[in-house]
Amino acid sequence: MQGLSGRRRIWLVGASSGIGEALARRLLEQGHQVALSARRQEPLARLAGHCANALVLPCDLTDPASVHEAADTLGARFGGLDVLLHVAGTCEYLDARRFDPALVERVFAVNFHGAIRVIDAALPLLRRARTPDAPPPLLAAVSSAAAYLPLPRAEAYGASKAALSHFLESLRIDLADEGIDVSLVHPGFVATPLTARNDFAMPMRIDADTAARAILDGLERRRLDIHFPRRFTALVKLAGLLPPALRLRLGRRLMHRRSPSEAVS
């Protein structure tokens, strides 16, 4: 299917690069009304171009007032929201020898708390969109395959994504009676400006457009867990089910494949 059928009102948060940019291009081409959000306005304006169905809504996920201001503008322009698609995220790797709680807080500020702020602002708009003859409103967010399995140096990133996944799975239960669907996306390695900073092997890495196609196909099918590439994510899921001692051995093997100088931040 590779797209959302019908003409939807979509808030795409994290649209300025990588997976978010690829999603934005496809959604705009499909004729949806798309509100494009990210911290920087310039890449959003370039992405929107002269598309009449694009609304540029820059906002800072670490600033609650900025997020709610964007949501108020969206509500005034669109009247409601059929789909929230939260893609924004960041990554920093922790060196346990120089433990840095500020690094963990920075990652959580975007990956978890930023997502919660967006969900808080979007829920009234999603509730406003519920009608008997329309598909249920959809709340979707991009987590990571790292949420399935503890990995070396991924304390901040993996924990923030695992927290997001747990939060949304719980929220899915609580929103079910309201008729609002919740989907989670757990990608493996995707070639983006963020992963370009990694200096370790990224097996089965795919490009951003392939990831966008997989996400839109999964959303159209209302899949609860959209994960890809499936050969990779299936292995990560399986490894996450190993006993703790075996997970420790696996993590140490992965860590020892890199030299201590291979720090990424």
Side-chain angles (χ1 to χ4, degrees):
M1 293 184 186
Q2 298 182 0
L4 293 168
S5 59
R7 193 166 184 262
R8 309 287 180 86
R9 296 164 296 178
I10 300 171
W11 189 8
L12 176 57
V13 181
S16 60
S17 65
I19 297 173
E21 180 182 359
L23 284 166
R25 294 187 185 283
R26 287 187 165 271
L27 292 169
L28 289 170
E29 288 172 1
Q30 291 166 10
H32 301 288
Q33 288 182 280
V34 187
L36 305 170
S37 287
R39 188 176 55 189
R40 296 174 297 139
Q41 180 167 351
E42 294 79 5
L44 298 178
R46 288 195 299 270
L47 184 59
H50 299 290
C51 296
N53 54 327
L55 173 62
V56 174
L57 285 180
C59 67
D60 181 352
L61 300 189
T62 64
D63 180 357
S66 175
V67 174
H68 280 275
E69 182 180 351
D72 289 343
T73 302
L74 188 155
R77 290 286 297 274
F78 287 2
L81 187 63
D82 301 306
V83 180
L84 168 65
L85 186 46
H86 188 276
V87 185
T90 189
C91 181
E92 294 185 61
Y93 294 111
L94 184 69
D95 185 344
R97 297 166 301 178
R98 294 185 293 273
F99 197 84
D100 183 2
L103 181 154
V104 179
E105 291 171 5
R106 286 195 302 271
V107 173
F108 265 79
V110 175
N111 290 358
F112 184 70
H113 297 295
I116 302 310
R117 293 187 183 102
V118 171
I119 293 167
D120 175 47
L123 272 174
L125 300 173
L126 291 166
R127 290 183 171 115
R128 194 186 303 175
R130 289 174 302 178
T131 58
D133 56 344
L138 175 62
L139 189 166
V142 173
S143 178
S144 169
Y148 298 143
L149 176 69
L151 295 169
R153 297 179 52 84
E155 291 90 342
Y157 179 74
S160 68
K161 292 298 191 178
L164 179 62
S165 294
H166 186 103
F167 183 91
L168 285 176
E169 288 205 34
S170 294
L171 188 62
R172 177 189 293 148
I173 299 167
D174 290 329
L175 292 179
D177 287 343
E178 292 192 51
I180 297 175
D181 292 340
V182 176
S183 290
L184 268 163
V185 183
H186 293 95
F189 291 111
V190 180
T192 68
L194 193 63
T195 59
R197 297 183 297 174
N198 291 341
D199 55 2
F200 53 84
M202 292 177 276
M204 304 187 204
R205 180 172 53 175
I206 61 174
D207 60 51
D209 195 58
T210 300
R213 291 199 308 269
I215 291 169
L216 293 178
D217 182 63
L219 295 179
E220 178 62 26
R221 298 171 188 271
R222 298 282 168 147
R223 286 181 174 154
L224 302 183
D225 182 13
I226 303 165
H227 58 96
F228 55 85
R230 284 186 166 267
R231 282 191 304 157
F232 177 77
T233 51
L235 289 172
V236 175
K237 279 188 171 188
L238 183 62
L241 297 175
L242 293 172
L246 291 180
R247 291 203 304 269
L248 173 61
R249 288 177 60 185
L250 175 61
R252 293 187 69 186
R253 286 187 63 183
L254 292 173
M255 180 178 64
H256 291 150
R257 288 180 181 177
R258 296 185 292 167
S259 69
S261 63
E262 288 180 314
V264 182
S265 61

